[in-house]
Amino acid sequence: MPGRMAQVAPLKLAIALALATALFLAPAIWNGFPLVYYDSVDYLQMPFTWQMPIYRTAGYGLVTIAGRLAHSLWIIPLLQSALAAYVLYEALRRFLPRQPEAALVPVAGLLLLGSGLPWFTSELMPDAFTGILVLCFAVLVCDDGLLGPARRIGLTAILTLAVAVHTSHMALAGGLLLSMLLVSLAAPGLWPGLRSRLKLPLLAFLAGITLAAGANDVVAGRFFLLQDNAVLTLGLFVQDGLAETYLDHACSKPRPKLDLCMARHRLPHNANMFLWHDSDFNRLGGWTGTGMREQARQIVRGAIRSYPLTYLWDSALLTAQQLAMLRTADGVAPMRYLIGDAIARHYPRESAAFLAARQQHGANFDGLNAVQVPLLWLASAALPLLLWLAWRRRDPDAVLLLGIMTLAFLGNAFVCGALSNPNDRYQSRIAWLAVLAVAIAVGRWWGSDQSVRSELASDISRSRTP
């Protein structure tokens, strides 16, 4: 019997992982083709052209190269969905240890219906790895010694890849590491051994940034982590009005040296419109023009130096704004004119499927968001409450997990909202963790309370027995 049970358990787990992977792949199956975003064209071409726009980095090319090796773009969402399913299982195994295999498929179904996770795992974008990064980090930090060497290596490798695929992930992982280090120093008695459990996440962080810089070196011919982001920051300042305020001051001088002075009162109050569709931006050279980059550096530095409090206040407002932007399927729009030629050139056998996909004919997600956005708001707002309840219940593992998730929510909103510009997909890509947190808290504490009640009933029954 023990031998037979040992054979049944891996089969049960394999079936559960396969079903969870299928659920996370459901939007791509519904679409008839992997979902694509505006940025996807650069990533899917990178393994073929070995070229990288100045506003992009090559980290996600480590994933899209799988498409070239497999001669199919389907391998990318399949890989992302499988990794999400596996990391979710490891989280359930650690925080709901009674029956993680049984919980995996229902929780994956809940995330399909109530969050944007499957829309990101089905898309050719690095956003699928944001929540995976946080969950990997939490499992490794909360490891109680039951993971085993193979599992630790696997999670560390996934965390390394998640760090490498996008620069915002490097900032997020670095912030989580620093926060946990401070916690280990401030309260060493609450989580004994916490500092030693940071070694693998630190190793993954260092390996991830090295891998990202190496990918940039292969594609761009120079070893670096970040592209010059002054132009992107200028777009943010244009959106919140700080650029116009600074230009009004700088351009009032007798001999202003900024070419944007003439255009300061007709700048659009939207970063994306300025960076992608503004005639004055393009006239000064756009993303690739030396003049535009130099102008951007001067304006960004001058605005921060001249209005530091305004900059800090605007950053706080943008962070708060980003926290509330949670719509699913942001940017899932017809892409045949933007990406169709690239797919026909590099994946000719899949061009017909791409053109026939639902995305290329337009899709309305208002009904989906009417359900998901309120649910995600409630789940996100519940995180601090759950953290407080975990503290009151003296559940240190839950406190650590929920604390990591809360810090990740705030860090992601700051990095994407205050340092880039707010978009729904930025916070939606991580908001599914709040739904998972609620599910884990309910399963963990309800099961615990049921056990306590059962034990009390048994004690009472025994005490009454003559």
Side-chain angles (χ1 to χ4, degrees):
M1 285 296 292
R4 183 176 179 182
M5 289 299 295
Q7 292 175 359
V8 172
L11 178 61
K12 183 179 179 181
L13 173 59
I15 292 173
L17 286 170
L19 290 174
T21 299
L23 289 172
F24 292 151
L25 198 59
I29 296 171
W30 163 84
N31 184 50
F33 194 78
L35 299 170
V36 291
Y37 184 71
Y38 300 100
D39 301 353
S40 301
V41 63
D42 297 324
Y43 292 125
L44 71 87
Q45 289 189 115
M46 209 173 286
F48 296 91
T49 64
W50 302 105
Q51 294 178 353
M52 181 172 59
I54 193 170
Y55 44 80
R56 197 79 64 218
T57 52
Y60 190 60
L62 297 166
V63 177
T64 57
I65 197 171
R68 177 171 183 175
L69 295 175
H71 305 288
S72 173
L73 287 171
W74 275 100
I75 192 65
I76 299 169
L78 178 60
L79 172 65
Q80 294 174 166
S81 299
L83 290 178
Y86 172 69
V87 174
L88 175 61
Y89 166 72
E90 290 292 4
L92 295 175
R93 185 172 177 266
R94 176 62 186 87
F95 300 106
L96 286 179
R98 295 188 179 190
Q99 287 185 314
E101 295 88 354
L104 178 59
V105 175
V107 172
L110 175 63
L111 294 173
L112 170 63
L113 298 175
S115 79
L117 173 60
W119 294 88
F120 290 113
T121 53
S122 295
E123 190 173 48
L124 305 180
M125 285 291 291
D127 299 311
F129 288 90
T130 312
I132 290 175
L133 181 153
V134 177
L135 210 51
C136 264
F137 183 90
V139 173
L140 287 171
V141 167
C142 297
D143 177 25
D144 55 358
L146 297 179
L147 269 177
R151 282 186 150 100
R152 287 195 193 97
I153 293 171
L155 287 170
T156 303
I158 296 171
L159 181 56
T160 298
L161 179 62
V163 170
V165 296
H166 202 266
T167 52
S168 65
H169 294 181
M170 300 175 200
L172 183 60
L176 289 175
L177 273 169
L178 179 60
S179 299
M180 290 300 101
L181 177 60
L182 293 176
V183 167
S184 70
L185 294 174
L190 289 178
W191 293 280
L194 175 59
R195 201 182 315 174
S196 66
R197 295 200 298 271
L198 292 176
K199 291 178 181 177
L200 286 180
L202 176 60
L203 175 64
F205 173 71
L206 295 175
I209 61 176
T210 303
L211 189 60
N216 291 333
D217 186 34
V218 169
V219 176
R222 52 193 179 91
F223 196 79
F224 69 96
L225 275 179
L226 301 173
Q227 296 271 37
D228 186 349
N229 63 353
V231 174
L232 183 63
T233 306
L234 175 59
L236 181 65
F237 285 8
V238 167
Q239 178 166 304
D240 62 23
L242 187 57
E244 185 175 352
T245 300
Y246 174 73
L247 286 171
D248 282 339
H249 166 72
C251 299
S252 63
K253 297 180 179 180
R255 299 180 64 183
K257 298 180 179 180
L258 295 168
D259 294 331
L260 274 178
C261 284
M262 299 293 293
R264 67 186 186 276
H265 295 307
R266 59 174 180 262
L267 295 175
H269 292 286
N270 181 282
N272 289 330
M273 288 296 297
F274 174 70
L275 295 173
W276 303 106
H277 305 290
D278 187 70
S279 58
D280 293 303
F281 178 80
N282 292 326
R283 178 174 55 83
L284 293 175
W287 285 96
T288 59
T290 305
M292 186 70 254
R293 294 202 301 274
E294 185 57 37
Q295 293 268 308
R297 292 191 198 100
Q298 292 183 45
I299 295 171
V300 168
R301 292 170 184 167
I304 294 175
R305 186 169 54 248
S306 301
Y307 306 99
L309 295 180
T310 301
Y311 171 67
L312 292 175
W313 176 249
D314 287 346
S315 296
L317 291 178
L318 289 166
T319 300
Q321 181 183 348
Q322 182 63 82
L323 281 169
M325 297 178 68
L326 301 171
R327 288 179 63 85
T328 294
D330 178 28
V332 179
M335 297 282 177
R336 63 172 66 90
Y337 300 113
L338 180 63
I339 304 178
D341 289 344
I343 291 178
R345 184 164 54 254
H346 302 302
Y347 297 94
R349 290 183 299 179
E350 298 186 337
S351 182
F354 166 76
L355 295 174
R358 292 177 185 267
Q359 180 179 358
Q360 311 318 321
H361 301 281
N364 189 301
F365 300 100
D366 291 342
L368 180 68
N369 283 304
V371 175
Q372 288 194 356
V373 171
L375 178 63
L376 291 170
W377 278 341
L378 289 173
S380 300
L383 269 181
L385 175 61
L386 293 174
L387 182 58
W388 176 76
L389 287 174
W391 184 269
R392 288 289 303 269
R393 295 176 68 95
R394 299 172 184 258
D395 188 346
D397 288 341
V399 170
L400 203 54
L401 171 67
L402 294 166
I404 289 170
M405 287 184 174
T406 303
L407 288 170
F409 265 58
L410 295 173
N412 183 76
F414 172 74
V415 169
C416 296
L419 302 183
S420 180
N421 64 290
N423 283 279
D424 280 289
R425 70 184 181 92
Y426 290 151
Q427 200 66 14
S428 178
R429 67 184 186 171
I430 201 175
W432 64 271
L433 290 175
V435 178
L436 175 62
V438 172
I440 287 177
V442 170
R444 187 180 180 89
W445 297 335
W446 183 80
S448 175
D449 291 342
Q450 290 290 100
S451 298
V452 170
R453 291 192 192 99
S454 178
E455 290 175 7
L456 285 173
S458 299
D459 291 342
I460 291 172
S461 176
R462 284 195 297 269
S463 66
R464 290 177 177 175
T465 301

